[in-house]
Amino acid sequence: MKIILLQDEKKLGKKGDIVEVSEGYARNFILPKKIGVEANARNMNDLKLQKASQEKKAKEQLEAAQALAAQIGDKTVTVSMKAGENGKTFGSISTKEIAAALKDQHGIEVDKKKIVLPEAIKTFGIFDVAVKLHPQVAGTIRVKVEEA
């Protein structure tokens, strides 16, 4: 019996795969637990429409990420930091502060989880910070850290 999987199943396959299983396994395990549905003409058509919708959505997300990467590519964000005696800094600059400064200074909203800091920024100067917008798209923001 052919089954269309509705979710990832370790020994069978991934969501959307069409797999061949015995009728007893399908009737007693897969269908009652809603792991999959029978691969008839209606369900095959639904699967095809779902895949087309997912591809369209993924393409739109990729295009939006590419547009945002182009938009932030030449931006410089200035963040101020307190310093003590001898120019030693207090604390460090976090991704949250960089995201807030980007929104305040340029009106571009980026999730703080997408900003990648290899190590904490604890000194004054100019740093290039990577922004992972999509698995295939990354951009960079120039962060200028100055004394408050």
Side-chain angles (χ1 to χ4, degrees), residues 58-99:
K59 184 178 177 185
E60 288 173 355
Q61 288 176 343
L62 178 64
E63 290 172 354
Q66 288 172 338
L68 186 59
Q71 190 178 10
I72 67 170
D74 60 341
K75 303 289 185 208
T76 301
V77 177
T78 304
V79 181
S80 59
M81 187 178 202
K82 289 186 179 180
E85 295 178 19
N86 303 327
K88 187 166 176 145
T89 61
F90 292 127
S92 63
I93 302 295
S94 67
T95 57
K96 182 178 178 182
E97 293 168 319
I98 295 171

Side-chain angles (χ1 to χ4, degrees), residues 21-33:
V21 296
S22 68
E23 283 194 35
Y25 185 57
R27 223 177 314 120
N28 296 321
F29 182 75
I30 294 176
L31 297 176
K33 291 195 176 205

